[in-house]
Amino acid sequence: MRKVTQQIKKAFEQGKSLKVGNTRTDGNTVWLHGNPIVKRDFDGLIRASLAGYNTQVTRERVNGITGLCFRQKRGKAVLNDQEIDSSDWFAVAWYKNPEIVIF
């Protein structure tokens, strides 16, 4: 995991604001290049998205913060071996030991 991801993850988990390079958090949402990629809902549920950008950096940030495993296969975004729309949001059912819930 990259150092910037570790720093942002720690701030997000603690509910603190932090900006490191092109990534920032207010403690409830994480943005990469101004696009929300991870957010905590009012009920505490964590959601993640590639924000339409299936890039190595976006996948690394989301995976590092949430523990999910977004990948790329044949140029397509993949989560749990299923092709996904990179703009969709996915709920992390248990944040410390993630499991995917797709709505």
Side-chain angles (χ1 to χ4, degrees), residues 35-88:
N35 299 295
I37 58 171
V38 177
K39 62 183 176 181
R40 182 181 296 111
D41 287 345
F42 66 93
D43 60 357
L45 183 68
I46 304 297
R47 296 182 186 272
S49 173
L50 296 176
Y53 297 96
N54 182 27
T55 67
Q56 184 176 0
V57 172
T58 306
R59 291 189 307 268
E60 189 276 334
R61 293 288 192 280
V62 173
N63 293 343
I65 294 167
T66 65
L68 296 177
C69 190
F70 286 96
R71 298 182 305 117
Q72 179 170 294
K73 190 173 185 179
R74 295 186 204 108
K76 304 289 184 180
V78 174
L79 181 61
N80 289 351
D81 291 325
Q82 290 184 325
E83 190 175 311
I84 61 163
D85 181 336
S86 62
S87 297
D88 286 347

Side-chain angles (χ1 to χ4, degrees), residues 14-27:
Q14 295 175 349
K16 296 180 179 178
S17 295
L18 180 67
K19 182 177 187 319
V20 182
N22 56 19
T23 309
R24 69 181 173 92
T25 183
D26 63 2

